[in-house]
Amino acid sequence: MSNSSSITQFLLLPFTDTWELQLLHFWLFLGIYLAALLGNGLIITTIAWDQHLHTPMYFFLLNLALLDLGSISTIVPKSMVNTLWDTRDISYQGCAAQLFLFLFFITAEYFLLTIMSYDRYVAICKPLHYGTLLGSRACVHMAAAAWATGFLYSLLHTANTFSLPLCKGNALGQFFCEIPHILKLSCSHSYLRELGLIVFSLLIGFGCFVFIVVSYVQILRAVLRIPSEQGRHKAFSTCLPHLAVVSLFVSTVMFAHLKPPSISSPSLDLVVSVLYSVVPPAVNLLIYSMRNQELKDALCKLISQCVLKK
């Protein structure tokens, strides 16, 4: 039996043992990763470049793109390297760093999505108070609070998780380092403390989810009262992308962690984990660009100017 002091590396769960399928996994992840880099990079560049997009909604969208880049860069490159070199290992320190960074980015993103729902609620339901409630200073403070909360949350969970003695081997049932799979290796009842923190975090997360749902219910009620069809279309075009991102993120995370053990399997766990950890950062660009005419116009203007300069 080993303990955490003797563990120098963890073994991640491979997607497949067949070399041809490993290559397919590599190229699929490479395509998703490049799409995420390009898409979120374009969103960041366009919002920073176009003065007309220097509004609270696009400021939060820029922060969301940064968090998406961070979360996907934390886990996908390591998975691709392991696949290409036909290995499963990740160092003890690397696992701790990966867990910390991934928790940091997804937690900050979830709180940022909550703030974005509030932004849309004020913009549509209380437009006369929008400048007062969501001034530039207030927006910076709210975004900073989301980042700081993500940092403190990930620091607390990472320190608590890696302080536990581990004596059940070093093989993780996931393709990246995640708390539930590390807790399975613990041989101490101290892991109940971390489970308690997770339950407390889920309660906070559920509170944010309720806030988001209530905000969008109020938004939909207000939008349906707008007499102008063009006004309704504009309101829907800015709100539906936010709702789609929140729904995709929350539904996949909840299914991954709350599904009954009877339907759990390594292959299903891998697919679901990809849906909440890899897919959202890559599809956010499509969701926002397809529904947001202002962003599409600014992006086309930026691309045309770059082409003309060349």
Side-chain angles (χ1 to χ4, degrees), residues 15 266-276:
F15 277 83
S267 57
L268 178 62
D269 292 344
L270 281 174
V271 171
V272 174
S273 62
V274 168
L275 287 177
Y276 73 79

Side-chain angles (χ1 to χ4, degrees), residues 58 66 77 98 102 155 159 167 169 210 212 218 239-240 258 269 282:
Y58 292 105
L66 289 172
Q98 187 182 71
F102 184 67
L155 182 63
C167 63
V210 171
I212 292 171
Q218 295 298 320
C239 291
L240 289 181
L258 299 179
D269 292 344

Side-chain angles (χ1 to χ4, degrees), residues 13 34 36 75 82 124 127 135 152 174-175 182 196 246 251 267 269 275 277-278 292:
L13 182 66
L34 292 178
I75 58 176
N82 279 8
I124 294 175
L152 294 174
Q174 183 59 281
F175 77 97
I182 297 176
V246 172
S251 60
S267 57
D269 292 344
L275 287 177
S277 63
V278 177
N292 194 307

Side-chain angles (χ1 to χ4, degrees), residues 62-309:
L62 184 147
N63 278 267
L64 181 66
L66 289 172
L67 292 169
D68 280 336
L69 280 179
S71 64
I72 198 170
S73 297
T74 300
I75 58 176
V76 169
K78 177 59 178 174
S79 180
M80 290 193 299
V81 168
N82 279 8
T83 298
L84 198 59
W85 291 102
D86 195 21
T87 183
R88 299 172 52 191
D89 65 279
I90 182 172
S91 68
Y92 186 89
Q93 294 80 7
C95 185
Q98 187 182 71
L99 176 63
F100 171 80
L101 290 173
F102 184 67
L103 275 179
F104 168 46
F105 288 122
I106 65 168
T107 303
E109 178 168 336
Y110 187 59
F111 280 105
L112 186 68
L113 290 172
T114 306
I115 293 170
M116 291 174 74
S117 70
Y118 174 71
D119 167 70
R120 292 298 83 205
Y121 165 75
V122 175
I124 294 175
C125 299
K126 298 181 181 296
L128 298 179
H129 301 283
Y130 189 74
T132 305
L133 296 175
L134 286 157
S136 57
R137 181 174 296 183
C139 292
V140 170
H141 287 169
M142 286 189 284
W147 286 80
T149 303
F151 177 82
L152 294 174
Y153 176 87
S154 59
L155 182 63
L156 176 64
H157 280 282
T158 303
N160 196 50
T161 300
F162 281 89
S163 67
L164 299 173
L166 308 177
C167 63
K168 297 180 181 178
N170 64 342
L172 300 177
Q174 183 59 281
F175 77 97
F176 63 96
C177 291
E178 199 174 32
I179 289 178
H181 296 278
I182 297 176
L183 292 182
K184 292 178 181 179
L185 306 179
S186 175
C187 54
S188 168
H189 291 294
S190 299
Y191 77 91
L192 295 174
R193 180 179 58 192
E194 176 59 25
L195 287 177
L197 286 174
I198 293 176
V199 171
F200 178 71
S201 303
L202 289 175
L203 291 175
I204 296 177
F206 181 73
C208 291
F209 179 69
V210 171
F211 180 86
I212 292 171
V213 170
V214 171
S215 297
Y216 280 109
V217 168
Q218 295 298 320
I219 288 170
L220 291 175
R221 290 176 60 186
V223 168
L224 293 175
R225 290 198 298 266
I226 296 176
S228 167
E229 184 177 348
Q230 184 178 1
R232 287 198 300 270
H233 175 74
K234 184 176 181 180
F236 276 123
S237 69
T238 58
C239 291
L240 289 181
H242 300 161
L243 190 57
V245 172
V246 172
S247 301
L248 176 64
F249 181 77
V250 173
S251 60
T252 51
V253 169
M254 288 181 64
F255 180 78
H257 294 93
L258 299 179
K259 66 181 183 298
S262 58
I263 65 171
S264 182
S265 66
S267 57
L268 178 62
D269 292 344
L270 281 174
V271 171
V272 174
S273 62
V274 168
L275 287 177
Y276 73 79
S277 63
V278 177
V279 173
V283 301
N284 278 355
L285 168 73
L286 297 176
I287 292 174
Y288 282 107
S289 62
M290 285 191 300
R291 299 293 306 179
N292 194 307
Q293 190 61 43
E294 287 182 324
L295 187 59
K296 286 193 291 186
D297 293 342
L299 181 58
C300 291
K301 190 187 302 182
L302 174 62
I303 294 174
S304 62
Q305 285 203 7
C306 292
V307 171
L308 287 175
K309 285 183 180 180

